[in-house]
Amino acid sequence: MIHGTETIRERVGHIQPGARKEVLNLVKAPFFSSGNMTDDAVIGRGVRYRVIVERSMLDGGSPSFDEIIQARAAGEVVRIAASVPLKIFIVDNELAVVPLLGSVNAAKAGALIVHECSLLDALIALFESEGEKAMPFATSAGGSRSAPAIDDLGAQILGILLTGFTDQAIATQLNTSMRTVQRRIRQMMDTAKAQNRMQLGFRAARLSWLDAEQDGS
């Protein structure tokens, strides 16, 4: 057990550069560490990052949509969940940092450091289970030769829409107007010949309108 926000941040900062293969991260508020706990230098060495972000974090603007775009461009796999049960930071399936949510007081913040044991196995299984339920976060357009294409803005609107955001929240995330969001959704529905937004999501998947996830799903 370790105590204090700075201690947690320092421990993550010490563990993260030593990652060799993969980092798994469940993210939810309150956020005791700065940024989304990713390291461009570590990703640059070929370490795979898989991050599941609780949707309320985006409502609060941390991480921002721009930060997610940058993270995905760097090779990070990002998914959005309606909620996640706890925060987890796992390195190489060998070590986990589990911040505890009992207090938002920085001085009283605590975290468990979990080494290889059955508890770590359970945390890894929990991450994988949450990943299966979470939505991939698309930030650019895909498309096939036989399907009508959409541009990146359309893909971004559609990607955020599929995670459950309202039109106003989408507009806020993309720094545009709600009218623009609604107009673009209507255009995509017309192009896909969709009668409602649920059908739009189904047709968009069938037409490969959104870029593929880095994990191939």
Side-chain angles (χ1 to χ4, degrees), residues 48-216:
R48 188 187 193 206
Y49 272 77
R50 290 195 284 152
V51 179
I52 302 171
V53 180
E54 189 170 79
R55 191 167 61 208
S56 62
M57 296 288 291
L58 294 175
D59 288 331
S62 178
S64 68
F65 187 72
D66 287 343
E67 287 172 332
I68 292 179
I69 291 177
Q70 293 169 7
R72 293 194 74 243
E76 186 175 313
V77 176
V78 181
R79 288 175 173 256
I80 308 298
S83 64
V84 298
L86 73 165
K87 296 187 283 188
I88 309 175
F89 189 78
I90 304 173
V91 175
D92 293 331
N93 289 349
E94 296 174 357
L95 184 67
V97 180
V98 186
L100 305 178
L101 305 179
S103 174
V104 296
N105 186 307
K108 295 181 179 180
L112 292 175
I113 306 299
V114 184
H115 297 268
E116 290 183 274
C117 63
S118 57
L119 175 57
L120 180 60
D121 293 340
L123 293 172
I124 294 168
L126 174 63
F127 180 91
E128 298 296 350
S129 175
E130 293 298 315
E132 290 178 0
K133 295 182 289 184
M135 285 290 299
F137 201 91
T139 55
S140 58
S144 64
R145 293 179 182 177
S146 61
I150 59 173
D151 60 12
D152 285 349
L153 177 59
Q156 291 166 8
I157 290 173
L158 184 56
I160 301 175
L161 177 68
L162 293 176
T163 64
F165 277 80
T166 64
D167 293 353
Q168 184 58 64
I170 296 171
T172 299
Q173 285 288 330
L174 297 178
N175 296 313
T176 187
S177 69
M178 187 167 68
R179 187 173 181 177
T180 296
V181 169
Q182 293 173 336
R183 176 173 54 81
R184 295 298 294 266
I185 291 173
R186 183 70 258 174
Q187 288 174 346
M188 288 187 284
M189 289 176 63
D190 290 343
T191 302
K193 296 181 174 56
Q195 300 301 313
N196 53 54
R197 295 184 178 197
M198 181 179 292
Q199 193 175 57
L200 172 62
F202 175 77
R203 293 280 176 84
R206 292 292 299 271
L207 295 170
S208 301
W209 274 4
L210 302 180
D211 61 339
E213 270 292 294
Q214 296 98 319
D215 59 3

